[in-house]
Amino acid sequence: MSGDYEGPKRREAKLRNRAARRTRWLQRKWRVSAKGNSFLNVDGHNLGVHMNKFKRWGYRIGSRFSAKTYATKDEAKLALFDDFRAATQDDDRLWASD
């Protein structure tokens, strides 16, 4: 045992915060573009979900589109959260107001 009590508490809090943010992600106020796609602007990052010609859902972060498609809009939004969070996980100010 290392006797480190703060490290595990900090990691657990971080995991709990991420899970709560992921749950609230779907409840955010998503705007609708002129083409009918849902999108968010998060601190200079334009994030969106869209349906392709095969009636499958995908997402984009800026001009980078997802390679994988999803059966539902909510699945695409959650995948967008995971990808965006992985890309910006060191930037806590992006996630402070969520």
Side-chain angles (χ1 to χ4, degrees), residues 70-89:
Y70 304 89
T72 67
K73 187 183 215 181
D74 285 348
E75 285 178 27
K77 285 181 178 181
L78 291 173
L80 170 60
F81 173 86
D82 294 336
D83 192 6
F84 184 62
R85 178 71 178 158
T88 61
Q89 67 184 2

Side-chain angles (χ1 to χ4, degrees), residues 3-98:
D4 179 20
Y5 295 106
E6 293 303 315
K9 284 183 182 181
R10 196 171 32 255
R11 285 190 296 277
E12 181 182 6
K14 204 171 197 177
L15 287 172
R16 286 179 191 257
N17 287 340
R18 183 191 175 283
R21 287 180 178 123
R22 192 170 193 269
T23 300
R24 288 191 308 267
W25 183 255
L26 297 176
Q27 299 163 354
R28 289 185 70 145
K29 176 108 172 96
W30 290 77
R31 296 172 51 197
V32 179
S33 72
K35 292 184 178 182
N37 298 321
S38 298
F39 74 96
L40 290 173
N41 289 317
V42 179
D43 198 39
H45 298 277
N46 185 265
L47 315 172
V49 293
H50 60 277
M51 185 184 289
N52 66 16
K53 64 183 177 182
F54 303 109
K55 306 292 186 205
R56 300 274 300 169
W57 290 91
Y59 66 85
R60 65 175 177 72
I61 299 173
S63 61
R64 183 176 61 85
F65 289 84
S66 62
K68 189 174 176 185
T69 60
Y70 304 89
T72 67
K73 187 183 215 181
D74 285 348
E75 285 178 27
K77 285 181 178 181
L78 291 173
L80 170 60
F81 173 86
D82 294 336
D83 192 6
F84 184 62
R85 178 71 178 158
T88 61
Q89 67 184 2
D90 292 334
D91 196 355
D92 286 331
R93 66 187 168 85
L94 284 177
W95 302 99
S97 64
D98 194 23

